[in-house]
Amino acid sequence: MTNGLRSIDIAIIGAGPAGLAAALYAARARRSTLVIERKVTGGQIALTAEVENYPGIDSINGYDLAANMQAQAEKYGAQMLYADATAIETTAAGTHLVRTSEGDVEARAVIVTVGADYNRLGVPGEDRLTGRGVSYCATCDAAFFRDQVVAVVGGGDAAIDEGLFVARYASKAYVIHRRDQLRASRILQERAFSEPKIGFIWNTVVDEVLGEEHVTALRLRDVVTGQQRTLDVAAVFIFIGLTPNNALLRGKVALDAGGHALVTPWMETNVPGIFAAGDIRADSARQVVTSAGDGATAAIRADHYISERFAGPARTGEWEPEMTPAAGQHTG
């Protein structure tokens, strides 16, 4: 891509499940569609070794699922641009300029699906064993550790809620918290304390995640005494918060107290023509299937918005995709 301005119908920022689903629906609606991604296709799901909770698919590697979603969107004409989106600016005409490291893109509608990053412990072994026993999603991964000993790190609502879910499968779930009392709501604390499969390790942090091919143990440190010990576990579920990737949206659209975009049920922000879907929006369920649904919803509404807001046929400019379906291909 050159540094000249490109004009399209729908720009999608982020190539996770929400962005790729949006691309599929936008392209099938005959809208010129560009997906802008700064890292790897799939986002967080690309780091998941096995996905078993996507309807209709018994089991699939997360990276493969993302690759399949991208190929399907591209089949209908969506295009990819691997670049860093740095700003969104609204023009007097009501279009939006997406500034990127590979040049500017003018779009009639923008769907932001940049997600949120799980806060990490930042200890040795964590990154290397992510997807191999290090997890940030109990709903996604707890079933893989049925009747095994696992650990949950954190003391807030998310940690205790997910810890209770993990305990449905694990033989024992140790909650590791750096303080001597939980921050979770009282009702969650009561449930956790009454669950016989949940144990608590207070005033303790994780210094290292141990294991070669998969997690086998944690190196723990008591923050009061400084004493270290090893805890044998098959997995560690880390719930110490999420940081939304909202740099593009700060000062542009309304955000909640946690920095997530406030949207309508149609994924509309308070700025006409800018939509937010997936983990970046407020009250997301943070699941692959719900993110995909968000993306589809945003694309459907973006298509309607363009028809209502702009006269004339879909504008394609230099990003005109090949939209002719293969022989026998269903287009309904």
Side-chain angles (χ1 to χ4, degrees):
M1 179 176 177
T2 65
N3 289 325
L5 183 67
R6 299 292 184 264
S7 295
I8 58 169
D9 282 324
I10 299 175
I12 300 166
I13 305 175
L20 295 174
L24 172 63
Y25 273 75
R28 278 180 56 84
R30 305 282 183 171
R31 297 295 183 184
S32 53
T33 303
L34 181 67
V35 181
I36 303 167
E37 171 57 54
R38 66 187 177 94
K39 291 183 178 178
V40 63
T41 298
Q44 296 281 359
I45 197 62
L47 302 176
T48 302
E50 193 170 8
V51 177
E52 289 189 326
N53 57 357
Y54 196 89
I57 299 177
D58 182 62
S59 177
I60 188 172
N61 176 273
Y63 182 85
D64 291 339
L65 175 61
N68 291 347
M69 294 176 75
Q70 177 179 336
Q72 188 178 20
E74 289 177 329
K75 181 176 73 172
Y76 289 99
Q79 295 188 8
M80 300 292 298
L81 172 65
Y82 291 96
D84 188 15
T86 57
I88 303 172
E89 301 173 7
T90 303
T91 72
T95 59
H96 302 284
L97 287 180
V98 180
R99 306 287 189 185
T100 87
S101 57
E102 294 296 321
D104 297 339
V105 177
E106 181 185 24
R108 290 177 167 185
V110 177
I111 303 175
V112 180
T113 67
V114 290
D117 288 335
Y118 292 100
N119 294 340
R120 294 176 176 257
L121 298 173
V123 300
E126 180 181 14
D127 290 344
R128 179 173 56 84
L129 293 170
T130 293
R132 295 178 172 85
V134 173
S135 175
Y136 304 88
C137 178
T139 306
C140 308
D141 299 328
F144 295 123
F145 303 97
R146 188 184 302 272
D147 299 325
Q148 298 183 66
V149 178
V150 303
V152 176
V153 180
D157 281 353
I160 302 309
D161 191 40
E162 297 290 300
L164 287 164
F165 186 87
V166 168
R168 300 181 192 179
Y169 299 92
S171 61
K172 189 71 174 181
Y174 289 102
V175 174
I176 301 168
H177 189 39
R178 65 169 53 245
R179 298 179 177 88
D180 60 1
Q181 58 184 351
L182 300 175
R183 294 178 290 106
S185 62
R186 181 59 59 184
I187 189 170
L188 285 176
Q189 291 192 42
E190 291 172 355
R191 291 173 183 171
F193 290 139
S194 64
E195 170 54 63
K197 291 200 292 183
I198 292 181
F200 294 87
I201 302 176
W202 304 107
N203 297 317
T204 298
V205 295
V206 177
D207 276 348
E208 186 175 3
V209 181
L210 304 174
E212 293 300 324
E213 297 299 320
H214 55 83
V215 172
T216 58
L218 302 175
R219 180 166 288 118
L220 306 180
R221 175 170 49 86
D222 187 303
V223 297
V224 177
T225 66
Q227 183 177 0
Q228 286 192 325
R229 68 184 178 103
T230 299
L231 177 69
D232 293 336
V233 295
V236 55
F237 295 86
I238 301 168
F239 302 107
I240 54 174
L242 274 168
T243 302
N245 298 316
N246 61 12
L248 284 172
L249 299 178
R250 286 198 303 269
K252 183 70 178 179
V253 307
L255 306 176
D256 69 7
H260 301 86
L262 294 170
V263 297
T264 71
W266 281 104
M267 305 300 139
E268 301 161 303
T269 70
N270 62 315
V271 176
I274 297 181
F275 304 80
D279 290 359
I280 189 61
R281 75 168 178 91
D283 299 321
S284 169
R286 301 190 181 99
Q287 298 295 301
V288 180
V289 65
T290 56
S291 291
D294 281 1
T297 299
I300 291 169
R301 182 58 194 138
D303 174 45
H304 294 169
Y305 167 80
I306 290 171
S307 295
E308 295 163 0
R309 174 67 175 77
F310 299 95
R315 180 170 53 175
T316 58
E318 294 186 46
W319 284 103
E320 182 171 3
E322 175 57 55
M323 303 300 285
T324 305
Q329 180 175 301
H330 177 64
T331 60

